[in-house]
Amino acid sequence: MPDREHRIDEHLILEKPYYLPTGNEIEIAEAAYLNRLPLLLKGPTGCGKTRFMQYLAWKLRRPLITVSCHDDLSTSDLVGRFLIRSGEAVWNDGPLTLAVRKGAICYLDEVVEARKDTTVVIHPLADDRRELPVEKKGELVTAPDEFMLTVSYNPGYQSVLKDLKPSTRQRFVALSFNYPDIELEARIVETESCVDKKMALSLVKLAHMTRGLKDSGLPEGASTRLLIQAGKLMCSGINIQDACRVAVTEALTDDPELQGALEEMVTSLF
Ligand SMILES: Nc1ncnc2c1ncn2[C@@H]1O[C@H](COP(=O)(O)OP(=O)(O)OP(=O)(O)O)[C@@H](O)[C@H]1O
Ligand SMILES: [Mg+2]
């Protein structure tokens, strides 16, 4: 095992993040927090899950500790490990343990990517025991009331194999996210990129058309994030066609046929 020390992604968010609610997700998340219930966010890429977590952490005035999960993520990566320092074994808390000790919000992004044995470590933390066994250290850390566990995943491209185990998912209050309706999404694009309302609406219409290409083999249509990126390029003087090509078409697919279909959509709209 290499002697690696991971940088922990921890933020205390002081400035109110821009987050436009699409329903009563803020009230539900606050009620979950007050009842010490863990939260699962599901939804497609670029629909606002991370932004929502930043907003929630700001609103609850808790530090936000984010872990991007991947298939190599071990229990030690989450909980912690001994590292050798000047010949001595020194304990290093992982991001999950640190979040529990601090009473922070821990956000496990794309949790289904993590190995199954890793996911199990959150079980006693995600039910009413609210405790984390730090086995290597022989310690049981009890979470303070302020600690909140949140996880996210994208059900769109999940295979059955990668689904969460029922015993894991049935510990969470689940909030489903999706792209908001046209008006709201256009407001987000306008605010985040500085294009005018008319252009924001056209970009959202383009996104809706691309989201209809699922049956033709496009796994996911253009996300709010991509629209914002296209808008930002336009604000920097890139012409509409080029901005849509590099921020939307090329970002969505390498398939020449699908690219052709996407380009036609752009031409028909602008
Ligand atoms: N409801 C919203 N209010 C404000 N901004 C939003 C909202 N939804 C999306 N956005 C914008 O879209 C961008 C992408 O959203 P975000 O990064 O939160 O997506 P995500 O759901 O976490 O995606 P991924 O699953 O790929 O991580 C944000 O940076 C923000 O600019
Ligand atoms: Mg995210």
Side-chain angles (χ1 to χ4, degrees), residues 185-229:
E185 193 169 11
R187 253 169 67 199
I188 295 170
V189 174
E190 198 185 339
T191 312
E192 291 282 274
S193 75
C194 89
V195 292
D196 64 17
K197 191 173 179 191
K198 191 163 164 263
M199 177 55 76
L201 272 171
S202 301
L203 282 169
V204 174
K205 280 185 193 148
L206 173 64
H208 276 248
M209 292 164 91
T210 68
R211 289 169 198 164
L213 278 179
K214 261 193 180 159
D215 296 337
S216 314
L218 195 67
E220 295 215 340
S223 63
T224 312
R225 177 190 293 126
L226 285 193
L227 305 183
I228 294 167
Q229 292 181 178

Side-chain angles (χ1 to χ4, degrees), residues 23-43:
N24 59 352
E25 66 271 31
I26 298 174
E27 289 81 356
I28 291 174
E30 282 182 300
Y33 176 75
L34 286 175
N35 285 286
R36 296 174 293 282
L37 301 174
L39 198 62
L40 179 151
L41 314 182
K42 47 181 166 174

